[in-house]
Amino acid sequence: MIENVIIIGSGPAGWTAGLYTGRGNLSPLLFSGSGERGYEIGGQLTTTSEVENFPGFPRGIHGLELMKAFEAQALRFGCRVVRENVTAVDFKVRPLVVSTAEETYRAHTAILCTGSTPRRLGIPGEDEFFGGRGVSTCATCDGAFFKDRVVCVVGGGDTAMEEATYLTHHASKVYLVHRRKELRASKVMQERALANPKIEFLWETLPVAVSGNDFVEAVRLANVKTGAEREIPIDGFFLAIGHLPNTSIFAGQIELDEAGYIVTDKRQRTSVEGVLAGGDVQDHVYRQAITAAGTGCAAAIEAERYLETAKEKSRARA
């Protein structure tokens, strides 16, 4: 059997693609994720607590609850699910080939929504307090929970400067911890952060542990030159050290940029005809649930158009 559409990834982009292609009577087949450590059903939002910035939920909604609603809506319109991760693809043949550890599938089109993975430091307390207890990888998502609180941002690039600056709209003080003496961020981003009176830079410093009871209460820091350690009280700990796009299985199959993200045009089309992409796997700027859902929708519509065009060409040849 050759599928009309195979969707890889089950975050907001994947489920939205499943919803739209399902309503288009394409009977899409959706896989949990990709690679050996791909996300389970729901993607990154299943690891968050309250989501307050997704339209339609004025009182907010738990991340897992939101993703269950995405899933239920897609399933209602005929999206089928394989709760396995895709381990290999072959986009150089027709039909397209998608494989799991157990089976091989073929499809006329594919929509790639495998997302990205936030980089972690791997320090004590980081996992324990992640997801609603004070450790976060998204200031835009969680900053409002830290009104008049003291927070710490780790990083030295544009993302760290942007996150720290954004947090000053909510927090009373922002510590920006960087392991070097100079920043990697662009000059304009540096100047903006350095001029902000709410941001205190802690140079040549690394976090070594996060601690607290029910929520984060402190971070222990070490000087990279002397090794001397000190602890400062904080209420929130934000990691802004980059993301890793989940694209390892697509290397050599489609065009990726220098950071490993899938390259798409304005209509979510990749370098391979009939292969679309949506969500964080091709977006290293916004990384929001709503933008992921939007690009998942666009990719689904483009997949429908591609299939219809292919049918017209087939009829013309006949």
Side-chain angles (χ1 to χ4, degrees), residues 10-189:
S10 56
W15 284 125
T16 302
L19 167 63
Y20 272 77
T21 52
R23 291 187 77 244
N25 294 321
L26 297 179
S27 189
L29 187 65
L30 181 146
F31 293 83
S32 302
S34 66
E36 296 179 358
R37 59 181 300 275
Y39 283 105
E40 295 301 319
I41 293 290
Q44 288 188 58
L45 274 187
T46 60
T47 66
T48 65
S49 53
E50 287 299 307
V51 178
E52 293 190 327
N53 57 0
F54 197 90
F57 300 93
R59 296 187 178 182
I61 184 172
H62 194 281
L64 179 58
E65 185 182 354
L66 177 61
M67 293 321 302
K68 284 183 175 179
F70 267 71
E71 178 179 359
Q73 192 171 10
L75 295 179
R76 175 190 169 197
F77 289 102
C79 181
R80 296 166 296 139
V81 181
V82 178
R83 296 177 186 271
E84 297 179 32
N85 288 324
V86 172
T87 56
V89 300
D90 188 349
F91 295 155
K92 297 178 180 179
V93 298
R94 293 288 169 175
L96 306 168
V97 175
V98 173
S99 302
T100 67
E102 304 294 329
E103 197 168 343
T104 295
Y105 302 80
R106 290 172 172 79
H108 296 300
T109 64
I111 303 176
L112 315 179
C113 306
T114 50
S116 64
T117 303
R119 294 179 186 269
R120 302 277 194 94
L121 292 171
I123 61 176
E126 187 181 50
D127 289 338
E128 179 185 351
F129 293 102
F130 188 81
R133 298 183 62 194
V135 175
S136 172
T137 55
C138 180
T140 308
C141 309
D142 300 326
F145 297 118
F146 295 89
K147 185 174 177 59
D148 298 326
R149 302 294 183 90
V150 177
V151 300
C152 173
V153 175
V154 183
D158 280 354
T159 299
M161 301 306 107
E162 187 174 358
E163 299 266 286
T165 302
Y166 175 83
L167 285 166
T168 61
H169 300 310
H170 302 285
S172 59
K173 184 179 184 62
V174 178
Y175 290 105
L176 203 154
V177 177
H178 186 44
R179 60 183 176 173
R180 297 188 178 93
K181 205 171 183 178
E182 299 87 19
L183 298 167
R184 293 179 292 104
S186 60
K187 188 174 179 60
V188 64
M189 295 297 291

Side-chain angles (χ1 to χ4, degrees), residues 192-300:
R192 189 176 299 163
L194 288 165
N196 194 310
K198 282 190 174 183
I199 301 176
E200 179 178 341
F201 283 78
L202 303 178
W203 304 103
E204 297 181 315
T205 301
L206 278 176
V208 293
V210 181
S211 60
N213 290 306
D214 292 333
F215 298 92
V216 168
E217 295 177 5
V219 59
R220 192 163 77 249
L221 304 169
N223 183 283
V224 297
K225 286 188 173 181
T226 66
E229 295 188 2
R230 61 170 171 149
E231 189 171 86
I232 60 174
I234 61 169
D235 302 295
F237 184 77
F238 288 81
L239 292 159
I241 54 177
H243 288 67
L244 291 172
N246 300 323
T247 55
S248 59
I249 67 168
F250 305 133
Q253 297 290 328
I254 55 176
E255 183 182 357
L256 306 177
D257 68 15
E258 60 183 13
Y261 288 87
I262 296 174
V263 176
T264 59
D265 64 12
K266 292 181 179 180
R267 292 167 58 181
Q268 306 309 127
R269 297 176 298 190
T270 72
S271 59
V272 176
E273 190 174 310
V275 179
L276 299 306
D280 291 9
V281 75
Q282 51 85 60
D283 170 24
H284 52 80
V285 178
Y286 301 109
R287 290 194 291 263
Q288 297 296 301
I290 186 63
T291 52
T295 52
C297 164

